[in-house]
Amino acid sequence: MTAVLCRHFGLKHIEIAEDIASDTFLKASEHWAINGIPDNPTAWLYTVAKNKTKDYLKHTSVFDTKVRPLLDSDDDALPIDFEINPEIISDSQLAMIFATCDPNNSVESQICLTLQVLCGFSVEEIANAFLLKKETIKKRLHRARLNLRNSDFQIKTLCEKDIRSRMVVVLRSIYLLFNEGYFSKTNNRLVRKNLCAEALRLALVLTENELTNTPQTNALMALMCYQSSRLETRTDTQGEAILFEEQNRDLWDQELIEKGNYYLVEACTGNERSKYHLEAGIAYWHTTPTDENKWRHILHLYNQLILIEYSPVTALNRIFALSKVYGKTKAVLEVEKLKLTDIGYYHELLGYLYSEDNPAKAIHHYQKAIGLTKSKIEQHTLKKEINRLSEKNR
């Protein structure tokens, strides 16, 4: 909605667009609570937003005293009435994705702005995604918003030059958004389905435009479809984590797996191989019920992935796959070489690998992991595992 309103106001006045969008959703929450959800919620929201915008332009003195003097002379004839239809909404959202990914900002600032403006992330959620302090994120957002307001970017038809210069960050922002939903550390919830759905929606917008429907976009779509197919089985009714090997595979969403297969085929139409291709391949094998070489395929893909983009989490995931192929003893030696002692997942993995042969060491590492996570759900899950090991060895 902010994107559509910015098409009318211009990016210089993004705060006005955000205020109207916020007021619209507030009115919806009040009206729908009493009268029920309308047959077409989207149309209802945009009709209210349009009326609020018209009222704003007609009646607020702020527009005349503060906004109009800042507008270019060509904008003085800003029409009070304007059109909103599905095509304009789609084009505006696509353009806004690329507007927030301004190359004048650092890559990190571009992603922060995209997560806040397009996805409604709070400062705390963005700080969690980047593993940084909230004050750092606030400073990044302030600078990024200033550049966004001063840019000449138009929320209209995109040109190929803008798309080429900003596509990498656009995809990375959507990828981070999905991961925050899939591996959430905030609000004491392990999974936030609404964030995963929002990431899928934004990526779908990219696949519907011929300039942004690239192999990498399709690979990212495939990855998110495969991961989303298992969302319902990742937690129990109390919100606690269910380990992959204990998930009810009958509940995996076969329609999403088939969509993942479709987008993975679309992603492989050329010679391009990105991290999204490799991660989609790993997710594909995870949704494949039986194959005696399944973990060898996954380990091979992790070996390639770690060369393209190393991260501590990728390194630890690779060793988990290695444990499935070569055994836990060899995997323990590989994990300890990394010395990632300030990362919770490092200790969780060692806890898992030691759990059969050395329960005391496993408990020690699970306790370390508890001290490194703020998630109460994750802490509870780890404590249950410690209790299980303690009971087993009495």
Side-chain angles (χ1 to χ4, degrees), residues 3 27 34 45 85 87 127 148 163 171 202 206 216 219 221 224 291 298 308 311 334 343 374 379:
K27 181 172 181 177
I34 297 172
L45 287 168
N85 59 46
E87 184 177 353
L148 183 69
I163 288 173
L171 293 178
L202 293 176
L206 297 181
Q216 284 201 41
M221 272 297 290
M224 294 192 295
D291 187 301
I298 291 174
I308 290 180
S311 77
E334 293 291 317
I343 294 178
K374 294 179 181 177
Q379 289 173 355

Side-chain angles (χ1 to χ4, degrees), residues 117-218:
V117 174
L118 271 161
C119 309
F121 266 46
S122 67
V123 172
E124 181 181 3
E125 288 169 328
I126 298 171
N128 182 65
F130 280 95
L131 303 178
L132 292 173
K133 295 179 180 177
K134 287 195 290 186
E135 289 305 314
T136 303
I137 298 300
K138 283 181 182 176
K139 289 177 183 175
R140 279 186 187 175
L141 285 169
H142 175 73
R143 289 193 294 268
R145 279 178 168 272
L146 191 63
N147 283 336
L148 183 69
R149 283 196 295 271
N150 294 333
S151 74
D152 293 325
F153 197 89
Q154 300 294 311
I155 305 297
K156 294 177 181 175
T157 304
L158 290 168
C159 69
E160 189 170 350
K161 179 185 174 185
D162 286 334
I163 288 173
R164 286 184 181 278
S165 65
R166 304 182 182 208
M167 192 67 182
V168 170
V169 178
V170 167
L171 293 178
R172 189 176 171 198
S173 298
I174 295 172
Y175 175 80
L176 275 179
L177 171 63
F178 184 85
N179 279 346
E180 174 55 25
Y182 197 75
F183 305 105
S184 182
K185 300 286 186 184
T186 58
N187 296 330
N188 291 322
R189 292 161 59 188
L190 287 177
V191 174
R192 300 177 66 187
K193 295 174 188 173
N194 59 328
L195 299 186
C196 294
E198 184 69 7
L200 278 164
R201 185 187 68 78
L202 293 176
L204 191 61
V205 170
L206 297 181
T207 64
E208 291 171 346
N209 184 293
E210 63 179 56
L211 292 175
T212 54
N213 185 27
T214 66
Q216 284 201 41
T217 303
N218 281 279

Side-chain angles (χ1 to χ4, degrees), residues 290-337:
T290 56
D291 187 301
E292 61 180 13
N293 292 314
K294 170 179 175 174
W295 285 105
R296 289 186 181 278
H297 293 310
I298 291 174
L299 178 59
H300 176 65
L301 289 165
Y302 270 122
N303 288 340
Q304 295 179 64
L305 180 61
I306 209 165
L307 294 175
I308 290 180
E309 187 174 292
Y310 175 87
S311 77
V313 173
T314 302
L316 292 169
N317 283 337
R318 174 190 166 275
I319 294 174
F320 178 81
L322 184 142
S323 75
K324 295 291 187 182
V325 178
Y326 296 110
K328 292 182 177 178
T329 302
K330 185 170 182 178
V332 165
L333 297 175
E334 293 291 317
V335 176
E336 291 179 338
K337 285 179 187 173

